[in-house]
Amino acid sequence: MMEDAAASPLTFDRLTPDGRTQAIARALAEEVPVAIEFNGIGYAVLMATPSDIGDLVLGFALAERLIGPGDAAFDVDTHRTDQGIVARATLPQDRTDALLERVRHRVSESSCGMCGIENLEQAIRPLPKVTAVSRADPAAIFRALGGLCDHQPLNAATGAAHAAAWVGADGAILLVREDVGRHNAFDKLIGAMARQGDRARADWDGGFALLSSRCSYELVEKAVLSQCPMLVTISAPTRLAATRAEAAGLPLVVLARGDALLLRGHRLLP
C-alpha cells in the first residue's frame, strides 16, 4: 500500500520586534484530499494526513456503520494522483444495502421538508449501548497524559497534528495514530486496532481512548461504535457530546491535564 510523507519542510522569514529577519525552515504537516470509494461508489472526500490511509478507511467505515465490529478487516488500495489520493475498498456482500442506503442520504439534494427532517435524523442516529468496561484508575489516566507527547512524532515536528491513542488499563500507551484532523486520527486508530484482532477490537482490553482534542459528538459516536469503554480528551466537550455519551453509557474524562481532570459517567473509575 502506498504511503506519502506525513510532513515536509518549508522556508519562512522569521521577523522579530527589533526589525531583524532570519530565514528558517519549518516542518509542516501534509494535508491532502483522500477520496474514498466503497464497492466502486464514490463515498466521501476527507482532508487528511497521507499516512496510515488503510487504517483511516477501515475506521471511517466502522464510524459510518457500513461495517460492524464483528466484520473482518478489509484491504484498501490507494492510488496517488495529482489532486490527492484515491482509496478503494470492497465491503462484504451483505453490507451492500447499508452502503447504498447511506449513499442515498449523503447525496440527497432535495429541498422538501420531509427530506430535510430525514437527513437530520441520519445526522443524529441512535447509538448502541457501550458494554465494555474500563479497568483504568485515575493514576492510569495521569500516566497516559504524561506519556502521550513521546508518541507524537508528527506533532513534535510540525505542531499541527492531533493524536488518538489506545491506552491500556495500567496507563501504558499501546498504539497511536496522528493526523491533522482529530476525526481522522481516531478513525486511523480504530482501524489499526481492528486489524489487530477481535480481542482488542471487542473490549479495548479494559483500557481507554485518549485524544489530543476537544470532545465533539462525532468523536463520542466513533468511541461508542467501536465499543470503547472510556473516552479521555485533552479539551472540553460540547453539551451534545456529553449527552450522547451519557445516553450510550460511555464514561467521559475531559479537560484532562497533568494537574486535574473532569469526570462524567458512573462506570468511569472502578
Side-chain angles (χ1 to χ4, degrees), residues 21-73:
T21 303
Q22 179 186 9
I24 63 169
R26 181 176 177 87
L28 300 184
E30 294 289 348
E31 184 176 25
V32 302
V34 179
I36 298 175
E37 297 180 4
F38 293 118
N39 297 17
I41 300 172
Y43 189 84
V45 177
L46 308 179
M47 297 301 298
T49 299
S51 61
D52 303 306
I53 297 300
D55 294 339
L56 171 63
V57 175
L58 179 55
F60 180 72
L62 285 162
E64 286 287 292
R65 310 190 201 197
L66 299 176
I67 60 174
D71 290 330

Side-chain angles (χ1 to χ4, degrees), residues 46-123:
L46 308 179
M47 297 301 298
T49 299
S51 61
D52 303 306
I53 297 300
D55 294 339
L56 171 63
V57 175
L58 179 55
F60 180 72
L62 285 162
E64 286 287 292
R65 310 190 201 197
L66 299 176
I67 60 174
D71 290 330
F74 51 71
D75 292 329
V76 178
D77 293 324
T78 58
H79 306 273
R80 181 76 196 205
T81 72
D82 291 339
Q83 292 76 33
I85 296 173
V86 178
R88 298 187 174 103
T90 300
L91 302 182
Q93 186 65 33
D94 60 354
R95 294 291 181 174
T96 301
D97 289 344
L99 170 62
L100 295 177
E101 180 67 11
R102 285 294 291 148
V103 169
R104 183 178 73 83
H105 285 290
R106 290 175 66 89
V107 302
S108 174
E109 295 180 351
S110 173
S111 61
C112 70
M114 183 58 69
C115 290
I117 293 173
E118 191 175 63
N119 288 337
L120 289 176
E121 290 173 346
Q122 284 292 310

